[in-house]
Amino acid sequence: LSLEQDLVRAVEQSQFVLHYQPQVDAATGRIVSAEALLRWEHPLRGMVSPVQFIPVAEETGLIVPLGEWVVMEACRQMAVWLAEGLPVVPVAVNLSAHNFRSDSLLTSIAYALESTGLPSRYLHVELTESAVMQEPEQAMATLGALKSLGLMLSIDDFGTGYSSLSTLKQFPIDLLKIDRSFVRDLPDDASGASIVEAILALAHALGLGVVAEGVETLAQRDFLRSRRCGLMQGYLYSRPQPADVFAGLLREGV
Ligand code: G
Ligand code: G
Ligand code: MN
Ligand code: NA
């Protein structure tokens, strides 16, 4: 079977799971949110990386139901954790540009919240810079509608696309996520450091929160902390974890 045929079956047979990676407060080290990352547990191929199957899902249009499944699953899981009395933090889901432009975006998210009873403040949405900058006027309306549902909105992989700063300023977004390619060579790489400082200055000027991705070392953390980066995500704190392991982190901290 081709990867494409396998994907159709995987959606039907729910071979997907979400892993959760903590996002921690840079000052206190406490988990304040998490990112849900999709994993495909293929019966024969083993774990298939989203780097391999997301592009195929996008080409075939399967990404729309798949993204809607991710939203539903994250909401379901948080509702279960809340019912169990865990100190639940908001979870950010990644939505592709196809989901962002899909007619069913708003109804599917509203349905996930309603059917699970999850308060909307627990759901965050990450959209890439390229997804929101393609048709800014349409994007503005969609972002506004997502905000009206009560969601927090992040721009993912920030710095790797082409943002119009005047557009960015008008968008009702909450957070920028600094792409890990800029974090990787901190603190020694001068150009990486300058880019990170520029993104932080921009975010502070616009009143946006910032998440640094791919934080792996104490030196990276210290650099980011000293420049008032509010949130950190990366292997230094935790890899993306299966739901039960992440629930343990919620109870005990990273
Ligand atoms: O863990 P990592 O290998 O998860 O993810 C690789 C890439 O796949 C990243 O760019 C990440 O944003 C993307 N990705 C992970 N999970 C999802 C998802 O649920 N939806 C979409 N659209 N992309 C995802
Ligand atoms: O594109 P997006 O930012 O959603 O992708 C997140 C990706 O980054 C996932 O593949 C996730 O597993 C990966 N990731 C998270 N933390 C780290 C890290 O500290 N180092 C590296 N190399 N990858 C990371
Ligand atoms: Mn992301
Ligand atoms: Na990224």
Side-chain angles (χ1 to χ4, degrees):
L1 282 179
S2 68
L3 196 62
E4 176 179 344
Q5 290 168 312
D6 264 12
L7 259 180
V8 176
R9 186 183 297 187
V11 176
E12 288 162 358
Q13 297 184 353
S14 53
Q15 294 170 0
F16 295 99
V17 291
L18 294 182
H19 284 192
Y20 298 86
Q21 186 177 36
Q23 298 174 333
V24 309
D25 182 311
T28 65
R30 295 174 70 102
I31 302 174
V32 292
S33 47
E35 178 175 5
L37 293 156
L38 190 58
R39 299 290 179 259
W40 181 7
E41 290 173 336
H42 190 283
L44 301 175
R45 297 178 205 254
M47 276 287 187
V48 186
S49 165
V51 176
Q52 291 173 272
F53 70 79
I54 295 281
V56 181
E58 290 184 326
E59 283 160 27
T60 56
L62 275 171
I63 192 70
V64 173
L66 190 53
E68 291 175 359
W69 179 84
V70 168
V71 170
M72 178 61 90
E73 175 59 13
C75 291
R76 186 200 64 76
Q77 182 63 78
M78 282 187 276
V80 167
W81 285 333
L82 282 172
E84 291 172 354
L86 260 71
V88 179
V89 296
V91 168
V93 296
N94 290 282
L95 289 183
S96 103
H98 297 263
N99 286 100
F100 186 62
R101 287 193 297 265
S102 151
D103 289 336
S104 53
L105 174 75
L106 295 166
T107 50
S108 63
I109 293 177
Y111 178 69
L113 293 169
E114 207 174 284
S115 60
T116 59
L118 184 77
S120 59
R121 66 175 180 281
Y122 285 107
L123 185 63
H124 294 189
V125 168
E126 294 190 7
L127 297 157
T128 61
E129 205 177 359
S130 48
V132 296
M133 287 296 165
Q134 257 167 27
E135 292 169 75
E137 278 183 23
Q138 185 56 44
M140 181 85 73
T142 307
L143 293 170
L146 290 170
K147 285 307 294 177
S148 300
L149 287 176
L151 314 184
M152 291 254 289
L153 305 177
S154 310
I155 305 299
D156 202 4
D157 305 341
F158 190 77
T160 62
Y162 304 89
S163 272
S164 148
L165 297 186
S166 61
T167 303
L168 191 68
K169 178 170 171 276
Q170 293 169 51
F171 278 163
I173 55 172
D174 303 288
L175 282 165
L176 299 182
K177 295 194 71 180
I178 303 178
D179 191 68
R180 74 167 179 272
S181 60
F182 304 122
V183 173
R184 188 177 48 220
D185 300 324
L186 292 180
D188 301 323
D189 175 61
S191 64
S194 304
I195 291 168
V196 167
E197 285 172 337
I199 294 174
L200 285 165
L202 176 67
H204 294 147
L206 296 177
L208 302 174
V210 187
V211 184
E213 298 182 325
V215 179
E216 295 183 352
T217 69
L218 292 169
Q220 290 166 347
R221 181 201 67 184
D222 292 342
F223 177 95
L224 290 157
R225 221 192 226 167
S226 70
R227 286 158 181 81
R228 295 193 300 123
C229 178
L231 298 168
M232 312 270 181
Q233 178 179 350
Y235 297 168
L236 177 65
Y237 300 95
S238 171
R239 289 184 175 254
Q241 300 290 359
D244 56 338
V245 177
F246 180 71
L249 296 179
L250 283 180
R251 286 196 194 88
E252 286 144 35
V254 289

